[in-house]
Every structure is written in structure tokens, then in C-alpha cells.
Amino acid sequence: MRAIDKKLWRELWNMRMQALAIAMVIVSGVSIYIMSLSTLDSLYETRGNYYRNNHFAQVFASLKRAPLSLVKRIAEIPGVNKIETRVVAYVNLDVQGFADPVSGHLLSLPDNSHGLLNQVYMRNGRLFEPGRDNEILLSEEFANAHNLQTGDKIRATINGRRKTLTIVGIALSPEYIYQIAPGAMFPDYLRYGVLWMARKPLASAYDMDGAFNDVTLTLSQGSNAQDVIDRLDDILKAYGGTGAIARKDQLSNRFLSEELKQQQTIATVFPVIFFAVAAFLLNVVISRLISLEREQIAGLKAFGYSNLAVGIHYTKLVLMIVAIGIVGGIAAGVWMGQGMSNIYMKLYSFPYMIYVLKPGVIVSASAISVVVAILGTLYAVRNAARLPPAQALRPEPPAIYHATLIERMGLQRWFSQPTRMILRHIERRPFKSLLTTLGISMACGIMMIGGFQEGAIDTMVDVQYGMSQREDLMAIYTEPTSMRSLYSLRNLHGVEHAEGFRVVPARLEFQHRDYRTSVHGIETDGELMRLLDEDLNVIRLPERGVILTDYLAEILHIKPGDSLTIEVLEGHRVTVQVVVAGTTKQYLGVNAYMRRDALNRLLKEGNAISGALLRVDEGHRREVYAELKEMPRIAGVVDQKSAIQAFYDTLAETVLFFTFISTLLGATISFGVVYNSMRIALSERNRELASLRVLGFSRGEVAYILLGELALLTIIAIPVGLLIGYGLCAYLAFRFDTDLYRIPLVLGINVYAFAALVVIMSALVSAIMIWRNLAHLDMVAVLKSKE
Amino acid sequence: MAKEHYTHERLDEQVVFHVHGVTKTYQMGEVQVHALRGVDLDLYRGEFTVLLGASGSGKSTLLNILGGLDTPSEGHVLYGERDLTRASEAELTEYRRYHVGFVFQFYNLIPSLTARENVAVVTEISRAPMQPEEALQLVGLAERMDHFPAQLSGGEQQRVAIARAIAKKPDVLLCDEPTGALDSATGIVVLEALQRVNEELGTSTVVITHNAAIAQMANRVIHLADGKISEVHTNKTRLQPAQLSW
Ligand SMILES: Nc1ncnc2c1ncn2[C@@H]1O[C@H](COP(=O)(O)OP(=O)(O)OP(=O)(O)O)[C@@H](O)[C@H]1O
Ligand SMILES: [Mg+2]
């Protein structure tokens, strides 16, 4: 090895702790970049692969009932490729040993096949045997939640009749990657499942022989989904069609797409911060190294090393540190990416996960690290290269200090001499002090994200299900039913309160914007379903007009007082103009609300309700469930709170993983910044501090001068960091806003405290390490050497 | 006062450096420091020159200019045919790499490299150098080759610096107080090494010193005072290093 390269290795070894601290920051940036992008690629790849292999449909429509002969007309729509009709039913299930209400979707499968579109993926077991009417396939998540295996039996209420079904296979479907009950917001694998059954028995149970109530399509290349949807809606209108949707609006697919978008945001925001900090640290450390070595550099140049050679020499040092960061970052990133993909596989219902690590991701991560590092050190390295040798041969002149602002203001008598040294040192390098503070602040800010996510979900749930939708159970009727049915619900032993609601699918339109959702008719002074205003006060429903979810008003660009067009996608499919009376704060979903009686009038129907909200006495829960199951009119029962609980359990792992990672990364940054700043301060002031020791200062007094400065900067950095963290969370909340959910920007005191604490801890760890270095302060060297 | 041009008696010899009207002014904030105030000088091939002068008289400045480390504010310096004052950065680098050996006043060793490696840093980029070991042997440091600068005394560090300068067998050797930190016995070892290089390789050598005794081994002694040449003295008879004492 060339001597000059040996110099590099030895120097790297001498500054190994600093190099490691910087490398760790790069590791963080690279790993989170690789984690997010590879997770993203994996999800895209897996989803794409799954969709393709299992022929996920592109247009979905449900209707009341249409004869199979209608297929011919649908096939004539230009752009339609494949068509599959199905019989789909929403049923109550009864799992042995599980008392809570369970509902499920029962889908027909053509004889002895995986289906034409939305093909099932068989995890195990077999398809149906002809003639056996009671065989089903069960969705994997549901089967796992209940520990059901092939051969086990479950009971279902199919069109009012109890049936015992035998599980012959466990399956998954691209249609239910995100598996939630209608009306629910969170997956609850215990209380909602998907089942497949042979078409014949299912059709005859629902009087659908030779008919269908659900149709899915694929499109031929280059055709416009919206055109097809419009034509399909025209055809299905007469058969009770509730409006076809494109794949992008299909619920499961939409949730997944939103998730992918969030990954994308994470993939950009975080690495930017880490790379910026890494660049800063490298700059500080390399600048210092170069200023320490200016006389060596001069020597090298005097012996005929060119500017370029000197520049390359220091660039190599930077690259060596970056290389450690890249290698570590790739390893950590792949590990984290696989972990993340597995969490996704659990959170969603994928049959498999193809972990994709594109070479491009690694190349770009490496390239970004290298470029950032070089940009960060360019100035310092260029200065080293350009250093006129004759000048550099002379030792650097003593730094120029000034009396600080505070001293000029005449306040110095309040400060001891060491404190004045601290203040002067900070004031002499305002920019560097600022960047150090900013670096620590960034760390502090990053650490708030984990806590923010957790708190945000809590708030979301508290507001939505604690204050707004307060029912214990929601019973959904098979079809709109008279208000009088509520009496039988109220009479159930254990039901304390029951409120009816009416809900219809509708297309809302204002000017050139439109949005598909549902209009909810709710009781004026309802106890269980209440709308909240911006300050979370209950809104009294107006006599006329609709109230929109605040986010929906934003989507439609509509204000209270404007006239909204509502096209009901059910029954007579009336289109009416209704004034927007106000907006309501909601974190989950987007809907339109009006008085139930007003909605009934609008639909030109009597006092009909689509379902009921129930408050149930805890002690009688079981009995109420049991009774509800027996009611033929009730298609399903949703227990939102249990769903939330189940969701929390699934999510806990994700949140924990994320909190762990963001804390680790934040701590890395704050340690990296604080430790490096201290080391550099120590190296810059080595001589000064050693001289003070010679003059009789104690180690503590000397430490105070050195560490006091960083303590001061850290103390300043924390409030700034909390602000930055708030901003970061606000940005994420804003970026994560979708019509499915909005993340409230709520940051508890514990979130702030945690971030501040970790920063203080990592500063303390650095301080301890520096304290040990101070013990080795070489007093003799100071006296011996020149300067 | 009219400028004198100091020349050598042996005019048949080849001029290595032709210094003409060189001034050097440093701007130090408000004040100007005149380090050199007009120097005219010729140096000849193979000549051993000693530069004497008070502290701050401009010796190091002149040496740095000769070595292509610095450029004069005014005037010209020719190295052979080559005008150093007009040379590009790359030409100066090339000049230093292949023609000049430096010994610095403050050694400028690389602390992270051993004595041997400090020499190797230079030999690795030069044409036909000595082995680092050979150079260290010449300055009496064979035993301490694998020591780091921090493990060497001031005088030993200085000898490493000299070994580093002579190892590349330069055409010109520029030494800034090469014996400043040495006792007379070691100083003589070092001076013998310099003289050997001077005689065996014909290296033109310029040595700055505060030690008038060393002047006795030079062909010529040039006195600098206040940025100007105040006196040039040619030794009729040169002493061997071993004959010196201080
Ligand atoms: N880079 C510089 N900036 C400002 N002034 C300088 C610089 N280099 C040298 N000087 C000044 O120029 C003058 C000559 O300096 P030089 O180093 O040549 O002196 P010297 O003769 O080598 O002295 P010494 O024997 O102490 O080494 C001095 O007054 C010095 O302060
Ligand atoms: Mg000098």
C-alpha cells in the first residue's frame, strides 16, 4: 500500500468513533431509503403479480337481480373484455365457541374452478365437489383468527335459513387484500370473513337461479374505464344497479394504494433529513481534519503532490466513511424492508410477498450518499487542495475572538470567565453553532413521529367512536325496513337504546366535481350518531339541507349555502338539489348527512331505515348477539369497538416497529451531531484546555468550558426541535390525508417529553465519552510543542 | 541606492537560479509586510549556499519562492530556462515533484506515518529515488525507521525531514534550519549527509541557518537583512562538516 494511503487508514482508525457516528447517520438515511423503496417495490410487485395471476377485475358493479341473459348486452359495451357474474350475499356467521356477532360475504364460484376473474388463491384444501351443496372455501385471515381448518364446520344464516357449512379449502382473493366489513373502517378478522360457495346452491338459496346480483369486468387494452362504467350503469339501472366502480375505487385496492402513497412520502422525507445531517457532519469533521493537517498538506504539496492528488486524498477519506455507511445501510435497509414487507403481509391479506430489491434502489442510495457526502465536503476539500503551500507551512494564526454581544452590553459581570469563554466560542462560529443546533433539533423532531402516529390513531378513534358514532352494535338490514322494526330491537333484553338510520349510495356533484359516497339519514337528536363541528361540539341537524364531512366539502370545493346535486344510486334513482347546511369534523371516511325523515321524503318512501344502532348493556351482550342472529331481516351486525381493538392489536406491531426505528434513527442523529461537535470542540481547544489544566484548573472546570457549550446548544435545540417535529408531523398528517381517513395533528405532552428525553440522553452519552477523553488531555505535549 | 547584481566568480558554471528584482509583500489586514524588498541573485549548479540573516529578514520567504511554493509580488525567478513566476500551478507541482527537495523549519512530518513511510510518501512519487531505508541510514536513523513522529525527539524528527528531502535525489535541495534542533554531533551527521548529496549528485543546495559556524562549509554565504541582500561572501576554503563546531 502506498504510504499516503496508509495515512488515510490510520487517520480513519484514529477518528473511528467520529467516523462511526457519521456512518451511522448515513446508515440511517440509506436504510430507511432502501427500506421504504424496497417495501414499496415489493408491495407493487406483489400486488401486480397477484392481480395479474388471479385476474383481478377492473370494473365492479352490484345490483339487485338481473337475468343471465343480460350478460350479452354487457358484452356489447365497447371495451369490455371478460365478464363474470356472481351471486354475492352478506350473511351472518356462527363460529363454534365465539359469541360475538360475525358477518361475512358469501361469493359464488363457478363449478370446480377458481373463478374467471378475482380468482381465489388456494392456500390449502380443494375446490367444491359437484353435488355437495354445503361446501365452502374460507378466507385465510378469518380461518386463522378462529383457528379453523379444512374439515371444520361453521354455521351461516343464508337468506333466513340456518345452514351448516363444511370448510373444504382455505383461500385468499385479490379482491380482499384489505378485508373489512361494509360500514367498518378497520379490518377485524374475528368478526368478518369472506367465504366462497358453489354457485348453484347459493343461487337457489337466494332465488337467483339463472340470475346474478354482482358483475365484474376486465377491459380490453386502451379502453376507458369511465365510458364502460357509464354504459354499464345505464344497463344495470333497471335491475337495481348501485353504480359501478373502477378498480381504483375498489375498497381493498384503494386502501392499499393509500398505504403505498404513504410509503412514498416516508421514502422521501426521512432520507432527505438524514442525508442533510450526514452532509453537515462530514463537512464539520472533514473541515476540522483539514485544518489540523494544513501543515502536512503544505508538506505534501511541497514534495510535488498536486492539488488534485490532495483533493482526492481527502475525498477518499470521505468515501471510506460513506462506504461504511452504505454497506451498513444496505444491510439494515434490506433487513428492515423484509420486516416491513412481512408486517404488510400480516396487516393485509397477501398470499405471498415477493421481496423486491431493485439494483436501481441500491445504486441510487449509494449514489445519493456519495454525492451528498462529496457536496458536503467539497468546500473543505477544495480549500485543502487550494491551500497555498507557503502560507500553510506557517502554523495557523490564532483565532480571532471578540467580546460577545452580552459582554458589549455590559452584562459580563454576571458570567464567570469559563462561561464567557463558552459564549465567545459560540459567537465566534455562529453558523456552525446554528447548524449544530439544527442537527440536534432534527433528531428531536424525528423522534416525535413515532409517538405522533400512535397518538393520532388514538385521537382518530376517540373522536370517531367515542364522540360521534357511539353505538355498541350496528345491525344492518337485508333491505330498507319500516321504522316499526325498531320496536322489536328495543324489546330485546339488554338493549338500552336503539336508533334507526337510513343510508343510500349516491353520487354528489358540485360544479364540475363529483364524488361517490353515501348519504346517511340520521335521527335529529340521536344519542348514538352525532355530528361534531370543528371544536368537537355536537351539531344539531338542520330541518333541511345536508351536512358534509369537512374533507368532502374540500374535495367538492363546496361551502355551506351552496347547492349540492345528489344523485341517489338506489331505487328510483332520484336526482335532487340540496343546500349544504354545514360541515362536520370527521377523521374516517367521507359522507353526507341529513335528517332521516328528510332523506325518506327525498327518496319518496315512508319511514324506512337501513339498519339500527344499538346501545347494549355489557352484561347482556351475549344474549343480544344471540337474539340478533335469529332475526332473518338482519344481514349482519358490526361491532365497531371490537374491530378497533382487533385493529389496534394488528397495528401495535407496526407502530412499535416504526417507533423503534424512528427513535433509533433520531438517537443516531443526535448522538452523531453531539458527539462529533464535542470531539471537534475538544480537538480545536485541546491546547487551550490542556493549558488551563497546567494552570491548575480541575478536570471538571475544564469539562465545563467544553461541555457547557454543547449543553447550551442542546438546550436551545430542544424547543426548536419540538417545533420542527410539530412541523414534520403536520407535513406527514397533510400528506397522509385521504378520503379514507385524515390523521389529526394531535401531539401529547408525552410525545414532546420523549423526544426531548432521548436527545438529552444521547447528549449525556456523548458527554461521558468526552469526559473520558478529557482524562487523557496531554499537558506535556502542550508545553513541548510549538505553536 | 543602485542595485548590485551579485554574481559568482566562476562564470563558466551553469546558473541554476536567476533571481531578479524579487519583492514579496504580505497584506496583513491594514498593514503591509515587506518580506522581500528587491532581491537579485544567481545560484549555480552544484553550489552549496548558506543563507544567514536575522529572524524575520525574509530567508524562508526567499527559499519558498525558489522552491515554487510561493510567488513573488514583483520580479522574476528563473530555474534554468523556466520562469517560475509565470509557471502554472501544474508546472510548479511538476517542478517541485521532480527537481526540489525541501527541509522545513517546522519539519511538517505526517504524524500518522512512521519515519520510513514519511520518506516513502515522497519517494513514491519521484523518479529514481533512493530507498527510504537508505535515506534514513544517511541521517543515522536506521534504528528508528518504524517509529512514528510522536515517538521521535525533535532532532530525530528533523533528520527524518532531511532524509525525506534527500531521498528523491533532487536537483536542488532547500533546507530551512536543518540543524536548528540538533546538538553539534548530530548536526554534523546531518550536514555530512547534505554535503554528500551535494557532492555525489551535484545537487545545488541552499541552507538557511542562524548558526554562523555552518557558513564555513559553504561555497558562498549570503546575508539577508530586512528583505534585502546585505552581503555575499565567498569562502576561499571550505571546511568539512567534521571540522565545524558550535
Ligand atoms: N504568510 C505571511 N503573512 C504575513 N506575513 C508574513 C507571512 N510570511 C512571512 N511573513 C512576514 O514576512 C517577514 C519575513 O518572514 P520569513 O519567514 O521569511 O522570515 P525568516 O527570515 O525566515 O525568519 P525566521 O528566521 O524567524 O524563520 C516576517 O516579518 C514575517 O512576519
Ligand atoms: Mg524562517
Side-chain angles (χ1 to χ4, degrees):
Chain A
M1 197 191 319
R2 284 167 36 117
I4 186 132
D5 293 324
K6 277 190 199 153
K7 164 178 182 295
L8 223 50
W9 284 106
R10 297 215 179 110
E11 273 161 13
L12 189 64
W13 179 247
N14 282 337
M15 54 186 275
R16 59 190 175 277
M17 275 309 293
Q18 279 174 278
L20 206 67
I22 300 174
M24 282 310 293
V25 175
I26 300 174
V27 165
S28 304
V30 169
S31 64
I32 203 150
Y33 179 84
I34 289 183
M35 176 197 85
S36 335
L37 285 187
S38 72
T39 302
L40 202 61
D41 286 339
S42 303
L43 286 171
Y44 272 122
E45 177 68 23
T46 307
R47 183 177 75 166
N49 195 289
Y50 190 22
Y51 281 0
R52 218 171 316 109
N53 288 346
N54 293 52
H55 301 272
F56 185 47
Q58 287 165 299
V59 172
F60 301 77
S62 49
L63 52 142
K64 252 198 143 67
R65 185 181 194 282
L68 280 173
S69 55
L70 201 65
V71 171
K72 230 188 286 164
R73 277 183 59 201
I74 296 172
E76 280 162 9
I77 300 173
V80 171
N81 185 5
K82 288 184 189 150
I83 306 172
E84 181 167 53
T85 64
R86 296 188 294 191
V87 177
V88 175
Y90 189 49
V91 297
N92 264 318
L93 300 172
D94 196 353
V95 183
Q96 189 97 57
F98 188 75
D100 290 12
V102 181
S103 61
H105 266 110
L106 192 50
L107 314 177
S108 68
L109 269 188
D111 286 343
N112 208 19
S113 113
H114 295 94
L116 180 66
L117 302 177
N118 311 309
Q119 292 179 349
V120 291
Y121 177 96
M122 295 296 290
R123 181 67 83 197
N124 58 50
R126 57 167 174 83
L127 289 170
F128 318 119
E129 272 176 12
R132 303 246 189 109
D133 288 356
N134 57 352
E135 290 184 346
I136 54 154
L137 303 179
L138 194 59
S139 57
E140 185 179 41
E141 303 286 3
F142 183 77
N144 285 347
H146 287 284
N147 213 356
L148 291 168
Q149 271 122 28
T150 49
D152 291 345
K153 293 181 173 23
I154 66 169
R155 302 217 292 165
T157 311
I158 297 177
N159 207 9
R161 246 166 303 169
R162 283 290 194 78
K163 268 193 113 172
T164 301
L165 306 168
T166 307
I167 302 162
V168 297
I170 306 293
L172 298 96
S173 157
E175 213 178 341
Y176 294 97
I177 294 176
Y178 191 76
Q179 226 176 87
I180 57 170
M185 282 307 294
F186 301 110
D188 179 357
Y189 300 129
L190 274 172
R191 293 172 189 79
Y192 174 76
V194 180
L195 304 80
W196 291 265
M197 199 177 186
R199 175 131 184 186
K200 221 185 287 97
L202 186 56
S204 54
Y206 283 92
D207 189 23
M208 290 273 175
D209 292 307
F212 63 94
N213 66 359
D214 179 280
V215 59
T216 58
L217 316 172
T218 52
L219 306 176
S220 46
Q221 206 102 64
S223 53
N224 181 329
Q226 196 50 51
D227 292 347
V228 174
I229 287 172
D230 291 344
R231 299 283 299 267
L232 186 62
D233 280 345
D234 277 348
I235 296 173
L236 298 181
K237 207 179 254 177
Y239 300 93
T242 51
I245 53 170
R247 184 191 273 188
K248 70 171 175 30
D249 293 320
Q250 199 260 348
L251 194 62
S252 160
N253 182 58
R254 244 178 67 193
F255 263 96
L256 207 53
S257 302
E258 292 305 338
E259 192 73 45
L260 293 175
K261 258 195 247 164
Q262 296 191 3
Q263 275 294 316
Q264 193 92 56
T265 304
I266 291 174
T268 43
V269 175
F270 286 82
V272 164
I273 296 174
F274 284 99
F275 286 129
V277 172
F280 160 64
L281 288 181
L282 278 169
N283 175 283
V284 179
V285 169
I286 298 298
S287 304
R288 177 58 194 158
L289 184 72
I290 284 169
S291 82
L292 275 178
E293 294 193 351
R294 44 182 269 137
E295 292 157 47
Q296 297 178 41
I297 295 169
L300 288 175
K301 289 182 144 191
F303 299 125
Y305 281 87
S306 64
N307 290 357
L308 187 67
V310 170
I312 287 175
H313 179 69
Y314 287 99
T315 304
K316 270 191 197 163
L317 186 70
V318 172
L319 291 183
M320 269 153 49
I321 296 175
V322 172
I324 300 172
I326 292 175
V327 171
I330 291 171
V334 170
W335 176 75
M336 278 156 57
Q338 281 170 341
M340 204 65 184
S341 301
N342 281 329
I343 283 178
Y344 274 115
M345 198 168 123
K346 276 190 215 160
L347 208 59
Y348 293 93
S349 193
F350 281 106
Y352 45 80
M353 182 59 67
I354 308 168
Y355 183 71
V356 185
L357 183 60
K358 291 191 184 157
V361 171
I362 290 191
V363 169
S364 62
S366 312
I368 292 170
S369 313
V370 168
V371 168
V372 162
I374 288 180
L375 283 179
T377 49
L378 193 64
Y379 184 71
V381 169
R382 220 183 48 168
N383 277 351
R386 287 213 182 146
L387 205 61
Q391 202 171 319
L393 280 172
R394 301 162 56 89
E396 206 164 0
I400 298 164
Y401 282 86
H402 298 289
T404 59
L405 186 62
I406 290 171
E407 288 169 284
R408 273 174 270 142
M409 282 160 61
L411 300 175
Q412 71 269 30
R413 61 203 168 93
W414 301 106
F415 300 106
S416 65
Q417 198 55 45
T419 307
R420 269 185 252 172
M421 286 173 76
I422 292 175
L423 294 177
R424 284 187 198 164
H425 199 254
I426 291 177
E427 231 192 62
R428 193 168 76 82
R429 296 276 189 76
F431 190 61
K432 201 170 128 190
S433 301
L434 183 81
L435 285 181
T436 305
T437 310
L438 210 63
I440 304 173
S441 304
M442 279 298 181
C444 185
I446 281 182
M447 277 178 299
M448 289 172 64
I449 291 171
F452 154 65
Q453 287 190 323
E454 221 175 322
I457 295 172
D458 282 345
T459 310
M460 227 154 113
V461 168
D462 274 359
V463 170
Q464 191 86 8
Y465 297 110
M467 302 175 74
S468 177
Q469 290 171 248
R470 309 197 301 166
E471 83 278 1
D472 295 317
L473 284 181
M474 177 165 68
I476 299 162
Y477 291 147
T478 45
E479 55 191 349
T481 305
S482 157
M483 271 285 277
R484 265 170 292 144
S485 63
L486 274 181
Y487 294 119
S488 57
L489 290 176
R490 285 187 184 131
N491 283 335
L492 291 178
H493 191 59
V495 171
E496 293 174 347
H497 184 80
E499 259 169 50
F501 65 89
R502 181 77 175 97
V503 55
V504 285
R507 210 170 58 81
L508 310 182
E509 196 178 311
F510 180 65
Q511 290 166 352
H512 61 280
R513 296 187 172 83
D514 70 321
Y515 189 84
R516 251 204 70 149
T517 176
S518 33
V519 179
H520 292 245
I522 60 180
E523 294 304 336
T524 326
D525 288 311
E527 280 178 43
L528 300 182
M529 177 66 208
R530 309 186 306 181
L531 299 179
L532 306 172
D533 67 12
E534 194 63 35
D535 305 318
L536 305 182
N537 298 315
V538 177
I539 301 174
R540 218 190 115 84
L541 275 174
E543 196 81 32
R544 47 185 78 240
V546 287
I547 291 193
L548 303 180
T549 304
D550 47 2
Y551 195 71
L552 179 56
E554 275 176 42
I555 294 175
L556 293 174
H557 287 77
I558 197 167
K559 308 181 297 299
D562 290 339
S563 173
L564 176 73
T565 307
I566 300 180
E567 182 192 347
V568 176
L569 300 172
E570 193 189 278
H572 303 291
R573 304 183 74 101
V574 287
T575 299
V576 287
Q577 298 282 326
V578 182
V579 169
V580 174
T583 61
T584 174
K585 178 97 220 144
Q586 280 188 321
Y587 294 125
L588 294 166
V590 292
N591 293 301
Y593 296 90
M594 56 200 295
R595 283 170 61 145
R596 199 235 340 117
D597 49 357
L599 181 59
N600 286 149
R601 271 198 301 281
L602 200 141
L603 295 170
K604 301 185 176 69
E605 62 187 13
N607 277 336
I609 55 178
S610 310
L613 306 173
L614 307 176
R615 189 165 66 223
V616 177
D617 174 42
E618 260 313 306
H620 295 89
R621 229 178 150 87
R622 299 253 157 131
E623 292 149 73
V624 175
Y625 292 159
E627 297 265 13
L628 288 175
K629 278 185 199 167
E630 300 302 323
M631 295 186 161
R633 279 178 195 283
I634 293 176
V637 178
V638 176
D639 178 351
Q640 208 73 259
K641 283 182 186 129
S642 310
I644 293 161
Q645 197 48 53
F647 174 74
Y648 263 105
D649 295 343
T650 349
L651 204 70
E653 205 180 336
T654 326
V655 170
L656 210 67
F657 187 70
F658 209 87
T659 309
F660 169 70
I661 286 181
S662 61
T663 306
L664 196 70
L665 300 186
T668 306
I669 289 195
S670 78
F671 175 77
V673 173
V674 175
Y675 179 73
N676 269 306
S677 311
M678 284 191 185
R679 274 311 296 255
I680 284 164
L682 178 62
S683 115
E684 283 173 345
R685 309 177 67 185
N686 202 352
R687 180 169 284 284
E688 176 184 345
L689 299 177
S691 309
L692 287 175
R693 290 279 278 146
V694 171
L695 297 178
F697 276 66
S698 71
R699 185 164 150 205
E701 283 164 333
V702 166
Y704 171 71
I705 295 173
L706 187 66
L707 304 184
E709 177 181 338
L710 273 140
L712 186 61
L713 295 185
T714 307
I715 288 166
I716 297 170
I718 288 175
V720 177
L722 298 178
L723 268 175
I724 289 179
Y726 183 86
L728 218 54
C729 294
Y731 176 73
L732 288 181
F734 165 74
R735 288 295 305 254
F736 287 4
D737 264 4
T738 72
D739 45 354
L740 295 172
Y741 50 85
R742 271 80 53 198
I743 296 186
L745 185 55
V746 184
L747 289 161
I749 188 84
N750 57 324
V751 178
Y752 291 105
F754 177 74
L757 197 71
V758 177
V759 169
I760 291 171
M761 290 305 292
S762 49
L764 276 179
V765 171
S766 323
I768 290 167
M769 295 176 73
I770 295 292
W771 172 256
R772 288 176 34 205
N773 282 323
L774 275 178
H776 307 133
L777 211 55
D778 193 346
M779 288 180 258
V780 182
V782 179
L783 301 178
K784 218 163 65 173
S785 67
K786 45 112 196 160
E787 188 169 86
Chain B
M1 186 178 83
K3 275 183 192 165
E4 294 174 70
H5 200 150
Y6 297 94
T7 52
H8 199 267
E9 295 163 355
R10 290 175 289 170
L11 287 171
D12 53 309
E13 286 195 17
Q14 231 181 319
V15 175
V16 183
F17 284 111
H18 178 71
V19 179
H20 182 73
V22 163
T23 69
K24 180 72 188 180
T25 313
Y26 292 108
Q27 195 70 42
M28 289 285 286
E30 314 271 280
V31 281
Q32 287 196 334
V33 181
H34 297 281
L36 295 176
R37 302 166 180 266
V39 172
D40 297 290
L41 178 67
D42 281 344
L43 295 172
Y44 297 89
R45 176 162 304 290
E47 190 181 26
F48 195 112
T49 315
V50 164
L51 266 180
L52 285 175
S55 178
S57 56
K59 305 184 295 293
S60 297
T61 305
L62 179 59
L63 202 74
N64 287 343
I65 290 173
L66 291 179
L69 290 180
D70 211 348
T71 43
S73 308
E74 288 170 279
H76 288 281
V77 177
L78 298 183
Y79 171 73
E81 301 286 280
R82 185 189 314 222
D83 188 346
L84 296 181
T85 46
R86 289 220 197 110
S88 69
E89 186 61 48
E91 284 165 337
L92 282 179
T93 300
E94 193 262 359
Y95 163 64
R96 293 194 299 257
R97 178 181 291 214
Y98 298 121
H99 302 280
V100 189
F102 275 106
V103 180
F104 305 112
Q105 195 168 1
F106 303 113
Y107 329 144
N108 294 54
L109 297 182
I110 295 169
S112 55
L113 296 181
T114 62
R116 189 207 309 260
E117 289 159 355
N118 260 289
V119 178
V121 160
V122 177
T123 55
E124 275 165 3
I125 57 163
S126 33
R127 295 180 191 137
M130 299 179 203
Q131 287 303 309
E133 294 77 10
E134 188 187 344
L136 285 163
Q137 189 107 43
L138 274 176
V139 296
L141 269 184
E143 313 288 88
R144 323 222 59 176
M145 280 192 294
D146 294 317
H147 287 66
F148 286 94
Q151 300 166 324
L152 298 171
S153 73
E156 285 164 340
Q157 290 182 41
Q158 192 153 44
R159 281 187 277 160
V160 176
I162 290 164
R164 187 169 61 174
I166 59 179
K168 65 153 75 164
K169 301 188 196 159
D171 299 327
V172 289
L173 190 54
L174 306 171
C175 313
D176 202 341
E177 298 194 42
T179 58
L182 306 179
D183 61 90
S184 65
T186 334
I188 286 164
V189 173
V190 164
L191 291 173
E192 278 172 339
L194 292 180
Q195 199 189 36
R196 183 128 111 240
V197 173
N198 171 249
E199 276 168 7
E200 288 176 8
L201 304 172
T203 302
S204 320
T205 308
V206 181
V207 174
I208 293 179
T209 180
H210 283 119
N211 186 342
I214 295 175
Q216 295 170 272
M217 67 177 278
N219 293 117
R220 269 198 305 165
V221 184
I222 295 165
H223 293 263
L224 271 181
D226 203 14
K228 276 187 256 176
I229 292 176
S230 60
E231 188 193 336
V232 175
H233 164 79
T234 307
N235 282 329
K236 295 279 171 341
T237 51
R238 294 170 63 193
L239 295 184
Q240 287 302 308
Q243 298 172 286
L244 303 175
S245 71
W246 62 88

